[in-house]
Amino acid sequence: MVRCRLRRLWTSLTVATVLLPASEALAEPTQLQPTRDDTARTLSPHVTASPGVILVAEGGEGGEGGEGGGGGEGGEAGVDTRRAASDATVYLTALDLISAHYHAGLAAYRAGQQQAGAEMFAHPISEVYVDLMPALKTLSVPAFGGLMQKASDLALSGAPLPEIEQAANAVFNALHAAEAKAPAAQPGQDVETAVFVDMLDRAALQYAKARSGASGDAYLDGYGFLQAAKERSGKVLENLSASRPETAKAARDALDVLAKTYPAIEMPADSSVDPGTVLAATSRLRLTL
């Protein structure tokens, strides 16, 4: 059974209700108070920024911050959303962090794990979306926080699967519309590939964390990151095959390894994929870049 983050779920829902504008907030604030950690905006000493965007935790767990802030844990290290309005890679990475959680949440709900699905939907509201709101406003992207909260509320109430699918698809559609308004890429910047590789990195790190016995949703998170990477893989692999065949091969190898690593939303009890093998595959991909 996927372990749940009930305290974190309620915190996410409460913070979202308090911080989202009235036009977006769909629920009344609960009696629980927001407990957003101030460290979410500071870099953990264990976190480093890779070119362009991503804050990747070195050697397991980093700080306790969320995706939208600076800290992070394993593959959940954050992005600096203050740069999202001007940096296409930062912006699309933030959108993919939201997408990844909705892929994971929908898969969990379809598997009958309603609580885990609700948590996945709630998680990126306060930890990504709220911090991303200024960039969305700058880029004239229609607000979609209300759609995210609606999906969370429906999942938390145990709504029928068709309603959950409809609510999640509304979020995916909003993300696709938001992507169309991404800031212009810098000359020579391959944004799609950078975001694709970042999602693979996160999936690999979350698997290593899950295999280490860490509590929480590391495996389900990693499953979501892989799904987000797969969404970009068609276009990325086509472009790389034409321009950088060595990188295209490394990308396919990494996808193949991760597909074996994440056959479903729960880690198989007899999983034989070594975390080192997975991390090596994504590292080789980065080296070709």
Side-chain angles (χ1 to χ4, degrees), residues 190 192-193 233-245 248:
D190 188 347
E192 291 271 354
T193 298
S233 63
K235 182 177 179 181
V236 168
L237 291 175
E238 181 180 356
N239 291 339
L240 289 176
S241 296
S243 61
R244 307 181 69 165

Side-chain angles (χ1 to χ4, degrees), residues 3 5 15 44 61 65 80-81 91 95 102 105 123 126 135 145 160 165 170 203 212 283:
R3 299 189 179 207
R5 294 180 293 208
V15 173
S44 160
E61 294 190 4
D80 185 357
T81 50
Y91 179 75
L95 295 183
Y102 274 75
H123 189 184
S126 64
E165 291 176 331
S212 74
S283 294

Side-chain angles (χ1 to χ4, degrees), residues 45-132:
H46 301 292
V47 174
T48 57
S50 64
V53 215
I54 301 110
L55 304 174
V56 179
E58 295 177 341
E61 294 190 4
E64 205 33 59
E67 285 89 342
E73 45 187 45
E76 285 201 285
V79 294
D80 185 357
T81 50
R82 293 169 297 183
R83 296 166 52 200
S86 59
D87 190 315
T89 311
V90 172
Y91 179 75
L92 293 188
T93 299
L95 295 183
D96 272 20
L97 287 173
I98 297 174
S99 176
H101 283 80
Y102 274 75
H103 280 298
L106 187 55
Y109 208 90
R110 284 171 173 161
Q113 299 195 24
Q114 296 178 348
Q115 185 69 52
E119 292 185 13
M120 284 290 126
F121 291 162
H123 189 184
I125 298 176
S126 64
E127 297 196 7
V128 182
Y129 182 79
V130 167
D131 289 334
L132 191 61

Side-chain angles (χ1 to χ4, degrees), residues 8-252:
R8 192 169 192 179
L9 168 63
W10 283 111
T11 298
S12 295
L13 288 174
T14 305
V15 173
T17 304
V18 170
L19 296 183
L20 287 181
S23 61
E24 291 201 62
L26 299 182
E28 292 296 322
T30 69
Q31 293 182 347
L32 294 176
Q33 296 300 310
T35 58
R36 192 181 182 100
D37 192 339
D38 289 338
T39 61
R41 296 189 181 276
T42 34
L43 290 180
S44 160
H46 301 292
V47 174
T48 57
S50 64
V53 215
I54 301 110
L55 304 174
V56 179
E58 295 177 341
E61 294 190 4
E64 205 33 59
E67 285 89 342
E73 45 187 45
E76 285 201 285
V79 294
D80 185 357
T81 50
R82 293 169 297 183
R83 296 166 52 200
S86 59
D87 190 315
T89 311
V90 172
Y91 179 75
L92 293 188
T93 299
L95 295 183
D96 272 20
L97 287 173
I98 297 174
S99 176
H101 283 80
Y102 274 75
H103 280 298
L106 187 55
Y109 208 90
R110 284 171 173 161
Q113 299 195 24
Q114 296 178 348
Q115 185 69 52
E119 292 185 13
M120 284 290 126
F121 291 162
H123 189 184
I125 298 176
S126 64
E127 297 196 7
V128 182
Y129 182 79
V130 167
D131 289 334
L132 191 61
M133 284 172 61
L136 297 175
K137 184 175 181 180
T138 298
L139 297 169
S140 299
V141 176
F144 57 91
L147 296 176
M148 296 173 67
Q149 190 165 341
K150 179 179 179 180
S152 301
D153 291 344
L154 285 172
L156 190 62
S157 67
L161 179 58
E163 288 186 42
I164 299 299
E165 291 176 331
Q166 184 177 19
N169 284 333
V171 174
F172 288 134
N173 290 337
L175 290 170
H176 292 151
E179 181 169 343
K181 297 201 173 188
Q186 298 299 315
Q189 186 181 28
D190 188 347
V191 175
E192 291 271 354
T193 298
V195 178
F196 165 76
V197 173
D198 178 75
M199 291 299 122
L200 293 182
D201 276 342
R202 292 172 188 270
L205 287 165
Q206 290 300 92
Y207 178 66
K209 184 178 177 183
R211 281 290 298 268
S212 74
S215 61
D217 305 330
Y219 189 85
L220 183 55
D221 286 330
Y223 175 90
F225 294 140
L226 176 58
Q227 306 318 306
K230 284 181 176 180
E231 276 205 328
R232 294 198 180 276
S233 63
K235 182 177 179 181
V236 168
L237 291 175
E238 181 180 356
N239 291 339
L240 289 176
S241 296
S243 61
R244 307 181 69 165
E246 181 186 1
T247 302
K249 181 182 183 306
R252 290 190 182 92

Side-chain angles (χ1 to χ4, degrees), residues 261-286:
T261 302
Y262 291 102
I265 64 166
E266 294 186 73
M267 184 165 59
D270 60 349
S271 179
S272 59
V273 182
D274 183 76
T277 301
V278 182
L279 292 169
T282 55
S283 294
R284 280 194 295 271
L285 173 55
R286 275 211 178 270

